Amino acid sequence: EGILKNHVDKFHGQNVVFLFSLGCIANFQVKGPLMKEIQTFEFKSGDVLFFNATNKENILHGIESIAESSTAPKELSEKFAKAGEYRIGLQMRGFSCVEPGISFEN
């Protein structure tokens, strides 16, 4: 279906999430604690999104739907004929390697 229900990551300490999108457009939703309502935007092929994924920041996020249109690079579609028919989402997490209690904040 291509849907990821809106959720909040509940990590403690220093944690950041990097999301990379390739292929079809994802209709991505996000709401931070200072935002009045959920914002939806087109997460296109080649886009990168990163955010603080700690429970302190409380970032609500998810994928509402996948559009049928693709923004995959022409070269990728030429090499892989079906590249424009799928969305590939790559998620990477960065965790703090320092002792608990040490903050990078000023």
Side-chain angles (χ1 to χ4, degrees):
E1 288 183 12
I3 296 171
L4 177 62
K5 291 185 180 184
N6 288 340
H7 64 283
V8 175
D9 294 323
K10 297 288 187 178
F11 291 99
H12 299 281
Q14 302 290 329
N15 183 290
V16 64
V17 170
F18 295 88
L19 303 175
F20 176 74
S21 187
L22 186 64
C24 292
I25 297 169
N27 294 307
F28 197 89
Q29 296 186 314
V30 65
K31 182 181 181 298
L34 301 177
M35 299 169 70
K36 292 183 182 179
E37 57 188 48
I38 292 175
Q39 299 292 314
T40 302
F41 65 93
E42 290 185 342
F43 195 19
K44 298 178 181 178
S45 187
D47 286 351
V48 176
L49 173 69
F50 65 96
F51 59 92
N52 184 329
T54 61
N55 58 346
K56 177 183 173 187
E57 295 302 322
N58 202 37
I59 306 293
L60 179 71
H61 60 284
I63 297 175
E64 179 183 57
S65 62
I66 304 296
E68 291 183 21
S69 58
S70 175
T71 55
K74 182 178 119 179
E75 296 81 6
L76 183 65
S77 297
E78 287 172 353
K79 186 164 183 159
F80 303 100
K82 300 227 178 222
E85 298 177 20
Y86 297 92
R87 175 183 180 264
I88 298 169
L90 176 63
Q91 175 180 234
M92 296 174 283
R93 294 186 179 275
F95 294 93
S96 173
C97 298
V98 298
E99 323 177 3
I102 295 177
S103 174
F104 293 111
E105 299 172 3
N106 294 332

